Amino acid sequence: MDLLTKFIDTYPIFLKGMLLTFQLTIVSIFIAIFIGLFFAFLKISKVKILEWIADLYIFLVRGTPLVVQIFIFYFGLTSLNISGFWSVVLGLAFHNGAYIAEIFRGAIQSIDNGQMEAGRSLGMSAGLSMRRIILPQASRRALPPLGNQFIIALKDSSLASFVGVYELFNIATTQGSIKYDYMSYLLIVAVYYLVLVLFFSIIVSIIEKRMASSD
Amino acid sequence: MSDSIMIQVDKLNKSFGDLHVLKDIDMTVKESDVVCLIGASGSGKSTLLRCLNFLEIKDSGIITFEGSQVEKETHDLNEVRQKVGMVFQHFHLFPHKTVIENVMEAPIYVKKVPKAQAEKDALALLEKVGLSDKKDVYPSKLSGGQKQRVAIARSLAMKPDIMLFDEPTSALDPELVGEVLATMKELAEEGMTMIVVTHEMGFAREVADWAVYMHDGRIVEVGHPEQLFNHPKEERTKNFLDSVL
């Protein structure tokens, strides 16, 4: 049980890393949801120039590797005296925002047009109908792919290690190099990631069940 | 029937691309009138109804509602729509809200009615359509006929001056049509102004003050249902009636 002793010996430092990974993910996804909603609205605005802006954003995100985006954000933002943590958070938010925009756009457009018409026919404005009628239904449909994106973001946050943020993966490689034992700490960090992913999956499925009460 | 004019349409035209759907429609509906629009599918009945509720914006012509000419440039269409209720073929209830929440939604968020008052009003309306026992269930648990009666209650909650029905029973199983027609009949007897696109000739005969036959985007014939159905003047009306009766 060599691996277990290594696990027990290093858990305080890994727990710190887990907290940082957790924070990176939560904060960046939180921001990404607003970015995503904003660009989803641009895409369905039927105003050509706004659609183009959204298309360009999504093209940039999809067309470049995440690790390149993180480096650009890191070097760009730390030169403006923004911390490493926040530059990575914003990089991840910028990246996930594009995928979340597409998730929201799809979910909004999947709601029957009759719902908007029913709202409008009652005298509700387009904005009010969107807020009260369409978005609650769309967010329900967006939840499964959103949960998926959430887990992708959690695992992608490991790329923050390349710009020196001391999250889970960085701790694993550091421990590995100190002790000349990469494999053990990579296996250990995999367990931490699995636990985090399991935790998020359970949260998402609880929310899904709650929201499904009307179906 | 009173004499004051509720809605007047002059030379209304509407096209979708190359398709000229409404051609020079003239129509005058007085307060408490019950009007049935009949005609084959594609004749423009639904589009006419949707123009009257400004869900479709006319290309040309004049729509006068309660004495004022309504244009999207000069009027807040949201305010006009509050007075023009609409019931859809496919109900379009809000699936994420319970029956009573469906009915309370617009009064609370559009008219800013206090919640307690909105709830009281909604209960009275559900009572009226015979569904007060279903107030806390979600629409997915209702039959088609019940859904449509909730939709009628939801529309009535805004206290509209006129109600538009777009084929309200066409999506229903035959045994459920009666309950919806009964609710509509009751509404007509209370003096509600109604324009109903329908294939229910029995309902038209019994409840309508007058009926309109539309064909190919034009109003072909207007008359009392009895006269229109039994002694149509126009050959096209006769052909249509022969095909549906």
Side-chain angles (χ1 to χ4, degrees), chain B residues 12-201:
Chain B
L12 182 72
N13 279 278
K14 174 73 187 173
S15 297
F16 295 112
D18 292 336
L19 196 64
H20 198 173
V21 186
L22 295 178
K23 299 166 184 163
D24 291 334
I25 300 288
D26 292 318
M27 192 164 93
T28 303
V29 178
K30 291 184 186 142
E31 209 180 303
S32 294
D33 273 3
V34 176
V35 183
C36 279
L37 290 182
I38 61 169
S41 59
S43 59
K45 306 164 298 198
S46 289
T47 306
L48 174 56
L49 216 57
R50 293 163 60 82
C51 282
L52 295 182
N53 196 21
F54 307 96
L55 284 176
E56 303 289 353
I57 301 300
K58 66 187 164 65
D59 295 335
S60 66
I62 295 172
I63 298 173
T64 310
F65 177 65
E66 296 185 330
S68 82
Q69 181 182 337
V70 180
E71 299 292 342
K72 73 175 196 299
E73 290 79 11
T74 55
H75 282 72
D76 181 355
L77 295 182
N78 295 326
E79 272 178 34
V80 181
R81 286 197 198 95
Q82 291 178 34
K83 294 184 189 158
V84 184
M86 178 109 174
V87 173
F88 301 89
Q89 181 179 2
H90 296 287
F91 333 123
H92 300 322
L93 291 181
F94 306 136
H96 59 304
K97 295 181 184 297
T98 63
V99 163
I100 194 160
E101 284 168 351
N102 264 275
V103 181
M104 290 159 62
E105 178 70 20
I108 291 178
Y109 288 93
V110 178
K111 279 194 172 169
K112 312 286 176 201
V113 176
K115 198 168 173 241
Q117 182 64 41
E119 196 170 348
K120 210 175 126 215
D121 296 346
L123 259 179
L125 283 168
L126 288 175
E127 190 82 43
K128 183 185 168 86
V129 300
L131 287 170
S132 48
D133 57 324
K134 300 281 185 193
K135 73 182 179 73
D136 292 321
V137 307
Y138 285 94
S140 58
K141 298 277 185 285
L142 300 178
S143 73
Q146 291 170 331
K147 282 181 190 169
Q148 196 59 297
R149 284 187 283 151
V150 173
I152 292 172
R154 180 178 67 177
S155 254
L156 290 175
M158 291 302 282
K159 302 192 169 73
D161 295 337
I162 180 170
M163 288 280 283
L164 309 176
F165 294 82
D166 190 3
E167 302 199 22
T169 58
S170 299
L172 299 178
D173 291 336
E175 76 273 18
L176 302 176
V177 169
E179 59 188 75
V180 173
L181 292 182
T183 302
M184 290 167 62
K185 191 179 167 200
E186 197 180 316
L187 209 55
E189 280 162 1
E190 287 169 13
M192 176 60 80
T193 312
M194 294 162 62
I195 303 179
V196 186
V197 172
T198 188
H199 298 296
E200 296 292 332
M201 299 302 165

Side-chain angles (χ1 to χ4, degrees), chain A residues 140 143 200-213:
Chain A
R140 233 175 264 199
L143 202 60
F200 278 128
S201 308
I202 290 170
I203 298 282
V204 169
S205 76
I206 288 173
I207 298 174
E208 267 179 52
K209 277 199 192 105
R210 281 221 181 150
M211 281 186 147
S213 60

Side-chain angles (χ1 to χ4, degrees), chain A residues 6-200:
Chain A
K6 284 174 192 162
F7 183 91
I8 291 165
D9 285 346
T10 55
Y11 85 86
I13 184 164
F14 269 104
L15 282 184
K16 269 189 203 158
M18 194 156 103
L19 183 66
L20 202 58
T21 291
F22 185 79
Q23 287 170 333
L24 276 175
T25 310
I26 292 280
V27 180
S28 63
I29 281 284
F30 184 75
I31 298 170
I33 284 175
F34 287 99
I35 296 176
L37 209 51
F38 176 74
F39 282 99
F41 282 133
L42 292 195
K43 275 214 82 160
I44 60 173
S45 66
K46 291 185 183 130
V47 181
K48 272 280 165 280
I49 180 91
L50 298 181
E51 283 178 48
W52 286 337
I53 292 172
D55 284 340
L56 177 66
Y57 164 61
I58 291 164
F59 172 72
L60 288 178
V61 170
R62 274 210 284 235
T64 55
L66 173 55
V67 70
V68 173
Q69 294 165 20
I70 286 180
F71 271 80
I72 291 174
F73 267 81
Y74 180 77
F75 287 110
L77 293 179
T78 46
S79 71
L80 301 171
N81 285 328
I82 291 170
S83 72
F85 174 82
W86 278 102
S87 51
V88 171
V89 161
L90 292 175
L92 284 170
F94 170 81
H95 178 82
N96 284 293
Y99 291 96
I100 290 176
E102 289 289 66
I103 289 171
F104 277 139
R105 181 186 62 83
I108 290 170
Q109 287 179 338
S110 78
I111 303 298
D112 179 12
N113 192 37
Q115 290 291 309
M116 176 58 88
E117 291 197 339
R120 300 307 302 276
S121 79
L122 291 166
M124 299 169 81
S125 66
L128 187 63
S129 305
M130 180 54 79
R131 215 168 60 240
R132 296 283 314 167
I133 309 301
I134 307 295
L135 282 184
Q137 296 181 58
S139 44
R140 233 175 264 199
R141 281 195 199 167
L143 202 60
L146 215 49
N148 205 30
Q149 191 61 37
F150 211 96
I151 286 163
I152 292 171
L154 171 71
K155 294 187 289 183
D156 283 351
S157 72
S158 58
L159 292 171
S161 64
F162 292 123
V163 291
V165 175
Y166 213 47
E167 47 65 70
L168 272 179
F169 183 61
N170 200 345
I171 288 168
T173 51
T174 308
Q175 289 294 317
S177 72
I178 293 170
K179 293 166 183 162
Y180 300 105
D181 181 11
Y182 280 102
M183 189 49 96
S184 300
Y185 292 101
L186 287 173
L187 290 173
I188 287 171
V189 81
V191 172
Y192 281 101
Y193 276 115
L194 283 170
V195 169
L196 270 179
V197 168
L198 191 65
F199 172 74
F200 278 128

